Amino acid sequence: MNRLEEFTALRPLLFAIAYRILGGVGEAEDAVQETWLRFASTPTEPASVKSFLSAVVTRIAVDVLRSARVRRESYVGPWFPEPLLTDPYDDPERSAELADSVSMAALLLLERLSPLERAVFVLREVFAFDFAEIAAAVERSEAACRQLAVRARRHMAEGRPRFEADRRAREELAARFVEALTDGHLDGLEELLAADVAAIADGGGKGPALTRPVVGAAKVARLIGAFAAMFDGSMHVEAREVNRQPGVLVTEADGHIVAVMALDVLDGRVQAIRTVVNPDKLVHLGPVADAWRLRDEAMARRGVSVRRPPDDGGRGRRG
């Protein structure tokens, strides 16, 4: 194979590494593209193309993450990763690690790690690289990488999310959730929620979203029911896999994306609902609706006047 063919074959793996380090689809794609440019300009042929490309994309992602951490400090409201509807990389022997590591809950947990800890954890625990390869990727000794791995595992173990193992059970619950959301049956919706379920939204100052979590089955059911009633059937709601976990895609009738919901499911109940309405985090999925306009129109139909928040000057844009 020539270099382009070798790179193309490994591109899904490179994206999977970059996305788990960065939590952003656009940033991960940019890191992969920069990796190709460096590979194409390398005068010598690497002994292992996979190791070389993985090391390059890891270094790029770590550098991007360091600057992104600073920008996230001024982010408006809760920050979530950009939702991923299709993970391009698959490895049947590591399917559990791949699914667990890309969930919204896991990616948020990874935010607790330093950039180097995160990179080492992703390469070792998710993709099973050996420590010699990891050391080359992060430009540290093998001993230092082992220490980074120990610290990362400890941090992750303290809050590691648990999910429903039965895929069919997850899908059935998501389908029932969508049905209840579409029909507006609050009683049926509340039955699907854990007693301490939390609903959290990421609008980034650019989409209508509550800035604080709503906790408790009854409160969350009323919140979601009000959301469904407000749009009076004008939205299309579809069960979709989001970051390899159950989720919901909300669109206008013309297909423009309004929101993506990621559901944490355990013991037959929804434990958490994370909703992304920041248009900057949805644009990679397709055309995005003006959620502010939709909210204003819905409220006007109900005789309620609302004011949009002042322009945030770009602070809502994810770093």
Side-chain angles (χ1 to χ4, degrees):
M1 290 192 293
N2 59 37
R3 284 194 173 183
L4 179 57
E5 290 171 335
E6 289 177 310
F7 176 81
T8 300
L10 290 166
R11 189 182 188 108
L13 169 64
L14 303 179
F15 175 85
I17 292 172
Y19 178 76
R20 284 163 175 80
I21 293 174
L22 291 166
V25 173
E27 289 174 335
E29 290 175 342
D30 289 346
V32 171
Q33 184 60 28
E34 177 63 23
T35 299
W36 160 248
L37 295 176
R38 296 188 188 184
F39 181 42
S41 62
T42 299
T44 58
E45 190 66 26
S48 168
V49 173
K50 177 184 175 182
S51 295
F52 174 85
L53 293 176
S54 299
V56 172
V57 81
T58 296
R59 290 186 207 120
I60 294 170
V62 167
D63 287 343
V64 172
L65 181 60
R66 286 187 175 120
S67 59
R69 286 278 173 91
V70 176
R71 294 194 299 273
R72 286 178 202 171
E73 293 177 0
S74 60
Y75 192 81
V76 179
W79 179 91
F80 291 160
E82 294 177 6
L84 189 66
L85 299 188
T86 303
D87 189 348
Y89 180 73
D90 196 21
D91 180 352
E93 294 184 0
R94 303 195 65 77
S95 57
E97 291 85 354
L98 290 170
D100 290 348
S101 65
V102 82
S103 70
M104 282 278 187
L107 290 171
L108 289 171
L109 193 56
L110 283 168
E111 287 289 306
R112 300 181 184 181
L113 308 182
S114 72
L116 280 181
E117 287 173 344
R118 186 166 180 166
V120 169
F121 182 88
V122 166
L123 292 177
R124 180 63 181 174
E125 302 300 319
V126 181
F127 298 100
F129 281 81
D130 63 43
F131 279 107
E133 293 173 303
I134 296 170
V138 301
E139 299 178 308
R140 296 291 189 277
S141 68
E142 287 190 41
C145 289
R146 291 180 188 277
Q147 287 300 313
L148 287 166
V150 168
R151 290 203 299 268
R153 288 192 204 104
R154 184 171 61 247
H155 289 310
M156 294 296 288
E158 290 171 357
R160 182 180 292 277
R162 295 170 56 229
F163 301 111
E164 188 73 56
D166 188 330
R167 182 186 180 113
R168 179 175 293 181
R170 296 199 308 263
E171 292 174 349
E172 289 177 353
L173 183 62
R176 291 169 59 199
F177 181 89
V178 167
E179 183 179 359
L181 179 60
T182 304
D183 295 341
H185 292 158
L186 289 188
D187 292 341
L189 184 59
E190 190 172 343
E191 290 176 359
L192 305 177
L193 306 176
D196 59 349
V197 62
I200 316 165
D202 175 350
K206 296 191 169 189
L210 297 175
T211 57
R212 295 182 179 179
V214 175
V215 180
K219 291 180 180 179
V220 171
R222 286 197 297 271
L223 173 68
I224 296 175
F227 171 82
M230 185 172 66
F231 291 108
D232 195 25
S234 61
M235 299 292 103
H236 176 70
V237 183
E238 176 187 357
R240 292 289 297 271
E241 189 174 76
V242 177
N243 290 65
R244 296 201 181 209
Q245 296 294 330
V248 178
L249 178 65
V250 183
T251 61
E252 288 187 280
D254 62 4
H256 282 61
I257 299 166
V258 178
V260 171
M261 297 179 177
L263 310 178
D264 288 359
V265 175
L266 181 66
D267 298 330
R269 294 287 185 272
V270 176
Q271 307 290 327
I273 303 168
R274 296 182 179 87
T275 303
V276 178
V277 293
N278 183 342
D280 290 349
K281 296 186 177 184
L282 300 174
V283 68
H284 65 280
L285 302 175
V288 180
D290 182 347
W292 286 116
R293 173 184 59 79
L294 294 172
R295 187 207 63 168
D296 292 350
E297 292 174 352
M299 298 298 282
R301 287 195 297 269
R302 300 167 68 89
V304 179
S305 61
V306 294
R307 290 195 314 168
R308 295 193 186 191
D311 183 10
D312 69 357
R315 287 183 295 118
R317 187 170 291 109
R318 189 255 197 205

